[in-house]
Amino acid sequence: MALLFHGLTDSPFSFHAIAPLLWAQGYTVRTLLLPGHATAPSDLQQVDVTAWSEITQEALLDAQTHFEQVLLVGYSTGAALALTAAAVQPDKVSGIVLIAPASQSHNKYSFLAQWLQYVPGLRWLDEAPDIDPFKYESFPMAAAALVHEVMSTFYQPNFNHAALRNIPKLTLLSEVDTTIDSHATLGLLAQWHHPRDTLLLYGERSWALSVLGEKYQIEQARCIEEPCAAFNGMSHIGLLHPPPHPFYGKNGTYRHCGIYLNDLQKYAQCTLEPNAVRGETTIENTQSNPIFQRLTYNPYYHQLEQVLEHFVHALP
């Protein structure tokens, strides 16, 4: 069976496309709703990492009890939780699919969030319109503290790295991800290397090779269905959504314009501009384009399907 863990501020809807794909490959598919999600962003101020760890480990234990093999799939913070659960309970875990796994924040002061969340006036990193019906757009400081605590687990002396070296992993990773430090992710993947590990890389192959080495199987993203040169980097939030998606897709109704929250005129322009440049919200992209939209879908999605199918077919 396949057990899916969504990301921070997200929901199980993020797996709406790959869940049917896994089902078509013969998997019983289950998703998990993490505490603090699918209600209001402020509810993330009322949960702790213990609650997340308990529910993910209970879900894995239930899957291990009723199925011979378990495939774990995690997106961002959900990927970190999947890795942690597998390190604690590796029995019957046949493989792990990691989508932009949370490994380390770009902000090296993120550890301060655990205290800043209690300072009046600093309880929110972002207060957005929250017009996305499938996830939170507002981001409380408490959420930053939560994900920092989840990621710090990998760097504790008692973390079971050996268990992850015994499990094949497929990782989807963008070199220019502005949410997660992808270079830190490469370091962990090198430490957990299994001979059947695969990296689907949205970026330069030489960048990943410098950390992983020649023995690591790397699939570089390539265009199959449409030209991709117009996209300025694969974004953290777009990996799982196919181009035809009616909400997040190429011609979908949603535009991610959160970088303009402090300029309502530009925010309105961004949400209405059909031909804005899209990609990841790097400093270079946002400064060199008058209106820039964060890419909410994956132009290389067809290749993702092929790589995922190949990966699961090779599992026991």
Side-chain angles (χ1 to χ4, degrees), residues 8 16 27 68-69 123 140 147 163 166 171-173 190 215 227 235 246 263 265 275 284:
L8 180 62
H16 75 286
Y27 284 93
E68 287 300 315
Q69 300 291 338
R123 293 184 177 178
V147 70
N166 292 324
T171 305
L172 280 59
L173 193 65
K215 292 184 178 180
S235 79
D263 186 334
Q265 183 177 355
N275 299 313
E284 180 183 0

Side-chain angles (χ1 to χ4, degrees), residues 242-255 271 278 293 296-297:
H245 194 281
F247 190 70
Y248 295 118
K250 180 180 180 181
N251 298 311
T253 56
Y254 178 75
R255 299 288 184 269
T271 57
R278 300 178 187 178
Q293 296 170 357
T296 53
Y297 68 95

